[in-house]
Amino acid sequence: MMKEPVRILSDLHLGHHISRVERVESLRPLIAGAGTVVFNGDTWQELALRLRARSQEMLDELQAMCREEGADAIFLPGNHDPGWPGEGWLELAGGRVVVTHGDTIYHDSAPWSRHAARKREQILKIWNDRAVAGTDVATRFEVAREVARLLAPNDFPQGRAFWQRALDAAFPPSRALKMLHAWATMGGQGASYADRYFPDAKILIFGHFHRSGIWNRRGRLVINTGAFMSPCRAMFVEWHDGVLTCVEIDESGELYRPGKIAGSWRLDPIPPRSM
């Protein structure tokens, strides 16, 4: 049983050149008061050898901070850190709320990746070797972890300015188009993904795409918590006493703090089963 409140953050990208988390201490107000903090993938740069040492240092600091604040820390795998043990997803409220990084939503994990087009045949082979991944959720996550390692980048953008991020996204031109397409369709794709793998879920929470948003699709609430990578903004989600709250993060000071509430939803208790 997880201690409440449960807070969910995604895409810290600790140690990355363009992560806005320059000091782990800046995250303390987002952790203070939580019973459990779920770090929903891409928390650190496991696959980036040039960034890994600094990223590991920051990850150690983050884990120590959670202990200091009395918060249990749960780490889910993402495409930048696929090595975390466990299933790859988390269920709350008896499976009515599902939390996962989001790299299992699209067939090739990150369609905008510079390597995805070049390695399409290898991606198809991974899928063909595990055809059951189309319906079996555990196998789907095995595929995602293998694809993540296949697409691990060997170069990284250096600048955080908007023009630098735009230039990085625009080369090659197909990369920007695929990114925009993913942003435009991820709400509906998330709902379709839940249809297939988590049919009992009323709410799907993910990150991965870096663009935060809240959508209602086919009777499901779909939430993307964004990222701590410029130019996109970040939110967190809190689950407490049957209420799910989505909160924007105020990054205006030296410390990141809870900001404006973006939405709040109560889930009715699950009725007891008749004997």
Side-chain angles (χ1 to χ4, degrees), residues 112-114 155 164-177 179:
W112 55 86
S113 166
R114 291 189 176 88
D155 58 340
Q164 291 172 308
R165 300 295 295 123
L167 185 62
D168 174 65
F171 181 78
S174 59
R175 171 173 157 84
L177 293 175
M179 191 177 297

Side-chain angles (χ1 to χ4, degrees), residues 108-135:
D108 46 2
S109 181
W112 55 86
S113 166
R114 291 189 176 88
H115 302 299
R118 289 204 317 267
K119 298 186 177 182
R120 187 163 303 281
E121 292 300 318
Q122 291 164 271
I123 294 172
L124 288 173
K125 184 178 186 306
I126 292 171
W127 273 94
N128 290 334
D129 289 345
R130 294 177 176 83
V132 71
T135 54

Side-chain angles (χ1 to χ4, degrees), residues 10-185:
S10 180
D11 294 85
L12 272 63
H13 288 280
L14 297 177
H16 198 290
H17 299 311
I18 59 171
S19 171
R20 295 193 302 276
V21 184
E22 297 181 341
R23 298 182 307 116
V24 172
E25 182 64 26
S26 65
L27 299 170
R28 189 178 292 273
L30 304 181
I31 294 170
T36 305
V37 183
V38 178
F39 296 98
N40 189 19
D42 287 4
T43 304
W44 75 298
Q45 301 302 132
E46 174 192 349
L47 300 182
L49 297 182
R50 284 190 290 157
L51 307 178
R52 181 167 174 151
R54 175 56 181 153
S55 187
Q56 179 71 66
E57 289 177 7
M58 297 182 77
L59 178 63
D60 292 344
E61 291 177 36
L62 180 66
Q63 292 173 310
M65 180 186 294
C66 289
R67 291 192 294 270
E68 291 167 9
E69 294 295 336
D72 295 338
I74 295 175
F75 294 88
L76 296 181
N79 55 305
H80 286 257
D81 50 1
W84 292 108
E87 296 174 318
W89 72 91
L90 179 72
E91 297 182 33
L92 301 169
R96 292 179 295 166
V97 178
V98 170
V99 184
T100 187
H101 179 63
D103 56 328
T104 52
I105 289 177
Y106 283 88
H107 184 272
D108 46 2
S109 181
W112 55 86
S113 166
R114 291 189 176 88
H115 302 299
R118 289 204 317 267
K119 298 186 177 182
R120 187 163 303 281
E121 292 300 318
Q122 291 164 271
I123 294 172
L124 288 173
K125 184 178 186 306
I126 292 171
W127 273 94
N128 290 334
D129 289 345
R130 294 177 176 83
V132 71
T135 54
D136 180 72
V137 65
T139 308
R140 177 68 188 92
F141 278 83
E142 292 176 7
V143 167
R145 282 165 160 155
E146 192 164 346
V147 170
R149 292 184 173 95
L150 177 67
L151 299 182
N154 49 25
D155 58 340
F156 308 95
Q158 299 293 323
R160 296 185 198 168
F162 180 81
W163 70 268
Q164 291 172 308
R165 300 295 295 123
L167 185 62
D168 174 65
F171 181 78
S174 59
R175 171 173 157 84
L177 293 175
K178 289 177 180 178
M179 191 177 297
L180 290 171
H181 179 264
W183 284 358
T185 60

